[in-house]
Amino acid sequence: MMEAVTLAQVAREAGVSPSTVSRILNGTANVTPEKRARVESVITRLNYRPNPQAQALAGGRSLTIGVITPTLNSTFYGEALAGIEAALNDTPYHPIVISGQWRTEREQEALDLLLARRVDAVIMMGGILDDEILTHVSRRVPLIAVGRDVRGLDHSCIVLDNIKAMQQVARHLLGLGHRQFAYISGAERQQDAMERRHAFLNCLGAHGVTVAPELIQLGQYTEEGGLRAAEAILDTGLPFTALVCANDQMALGARLALYRRGVNVPGDVSLTGFDDVFTSSLMTPPLTTVRQAIYDIGLMAAREALNLLDGQPVVRQVFEPELIIRESTAPPAAPRRAGRAKRGVTAMSTPDG
């Protein structure tokens, strides 16, 4: 295998300095046409190919884009990261992904590490860091915020219309005849979790329906969190005919809790999620949920980061939700109390498998 031709070799053959070759390559050289032609002729004859990494470093770029997600163990964020990676495939940039682990201090550490690595831009997937911190970072490197609005960075935000999404869920269930609800919320300080909870409860309130505080539980956007939250709801003994979860992962955990208590879905309780991750259609029964274009959101985030790096203007992007109605929702049966049965003991009916 032939060794790659170096910049120094080109300079030696052309009788100029390496810095002159470099400036001719990047278009900043102030040289005579004859000297430029001589250097370009040597470049062609030696088949010299500039090293993009070296060029980037010389220009003060690392060719990396930092991505901070609340967790790596997530179907949702995995799909979004796939979109980011796809958008960067045909560019010299590569993502560096770090998890904030749903903790402010870990998010700050991740951000500090990425800045120390001199990433060229940052994509913040959700997160709970204060707006002021992200605004300050945006003065150092281009920053795109996904799933949240950041004061002072409206143009760099990519969000879903959570209000419209939860109105769709509420109206669907109300239209089926449900009037007794339980709700499992996402991470407490996550902006989209707060928006979804408020939008859902407000829509119910507009129809004269309230939800007992004991039937509203935090699930932290994880399967385990959904399982525990659903168990806490069932342990209250309060009646409900519909259980609404702020994401599909929590709905999966809640489905297990309902199964263990012998609660039939949708015969006894209708169940909904949010996101429409690929496993949602494979649940038993398939899950009614809100679809957001997760992969496309990742694509958009990376493309907007590239636009900022190229000095192009960006604008706030709002993705529209779509309610996907599947077999996990149905008109309510006569309400019965959830009971305080232990795991594996029938509380409401026989397990539906």
Side-chain angles (χ1 to χ4, degrees):
M1 184 176 179
M2 294 182 60
E3 291 186 5
V5 177
T6 66
L7 187 76
Q9 288 176 288
V10 173
R12 188 165 53 250
E13 287 284 329
V16 299
S17 68
S19 61
T20 298
V21 177
S22 179
R23 289 195 299 272
I24 289 174
L25 286 169
N26 63 33
T28 61
N30 183 18
V31 297
T32 63
E34 292 79 9
K35 182 176 289 187
R36 182 184 298 277
R38 186 167 73 250
V39 171
E40 290 175 347
S41 175
V42 172
I43 288 172
T44 301
R45 177 165 55 84
L46 297 182
N47 195 29
Y48 173 66
R49 294 289 183 269
N51 183 328
Q53 301 287 344
Q55 284 185 308
L57 290 173
R61 290 192 173 185
S62 65
L63 295 181
T64 57
I65 293 178
V67 183
I68 300 177
T69 74
T71 179
L72 297 177
N73 185 24
S74 163
T75 307
F76 174 88
Y77 289 110
E79 194 168 340
L81 289 172
I84 291 173
E85 188 175 51
L88 299 179
N89 274 343
D90 296 327
T91 77
Y93 290 92
H94 297 275
I96 298 177
V97 183
I98 306 180
S99 167
Q101 301 175 11
W102 301 106
R103 304 206 314 267
T104 304
E105 65 274 15
R106 287 294 297 153
E107 285 187 8
Q108 186 64 64
E109 289 172 9
L111 192 54
D112 291 341
L113 176 61
L114 291 173
L115 294 176
R117 292 286 299 269
R118 300 185 65 184
V119 296
D120 296 318
V122 171
I123 297 173
M124 191 77 186
M125 307 288 293
I128 53 180
L129 282 176
D130 291 342
D131 288 356
E132 292 76 11
I133 294 174
L134 299 185
T135 302
H136 178 73
V137 169
S138 72
R139 299 189 186 108
R140 297 179 57 182
V141 296
L143 186 144
I144 297 294
V146 178
R148 61 182 289 183
D149 281 305
V150 178
R151 289 188 302 274
L153 290 178
D154 295 340
H155 61 287
S156 298
C157 297
I158 300 173
V159 297
L160 179 79
D161 191 336
N162 287 299
I163 295 174
K164 180 183 291 186
M166 294 312 294
Q167 288 174 342
Q168 291 176 351
V169 173
R171 289 166 182 163
H172 167 63
L173 293 170
L174 289 166
L176 290 173
H178 291 277
R179 294 298 183 272
Q180 294 175 308
F181 294 89
Y183 186 81
I184 300 179
S185 181
E188 192 169 12
R189 293 179 57 197
Q190 190 93 351
Q191 186 179 106
D192 56 7
M194 293 186 288
E195 287 181 350
R196 292 172 195 179
R197 181 174 67 250
H198 293 155
F200 180 70
L201 297 177
N202 288 342
C203 188
L204 292 185
H207 289 80
V209 177
T210 60
V211 181
E214 299 91 335
L215 295 180
I216 302 173
Q217 297 288 331
L218 288 176
Q220 301 301 332
Y221 277 151
T222 67
E223 293 88 350
E224 181 64 25
L227 172 64
R228 293 178 179 175
E231 288 174 339
I233 288 170
L234 289 165
D235 285 342
T236 67
L238 297 175
F240 61 97
T241 63
L243 175 56
V244 175
C245 301
N247 80 344
D248 292 347
Q249 290 175 253
M250 294 190 299
L252 179 60
R255 178 68 185 90
L256 177 58
L258 295 171
Y259 167 77
R260 286 175 171 171
R261 301 294 183 95
V263 180
N264 183 281
V265 176
D268 296 315
V269 169
S270 287
L271 179 68
T272 69
F274 198 111
D275 289 334
D276 195 30
V277 298
F278 74 92
T279 54
S280 300
S281 62
L282 306 177
M283 287 176 59
T284 306
L287 184 67
T288 293
T289 186
V290 172
R291 175 177 294 165
Q292 58 173 320
I294 308 170
Y295 182 85
D296 291 340
I297 288 173
L299 280 174
M300 177 66 70
R303 289 170 178 167
E304 292 290 78
L306 293 172
N307 285 336
L308 287 176
L309 287 168
D310 288 340
Q312 301 297 318
V314 296
V315 296
R316 182 174 183 265
Q317 303 287 339
V318 181
F319 279 77
E320 290 294 314
E322 178 186 3
L323 180 65
I324 305 298
I325 300 174
R326 299 192 179 106
E327 293 95 317
S328 69
T329 52
R336 288 174 285 173
R337 293 187 181 276
R340 298 178 181 271
K342 295 180 181 179
R343 287 185 180 183
V345 178
T346 299
M348 291 183 62
S349 64
T350 58
D352 58 353

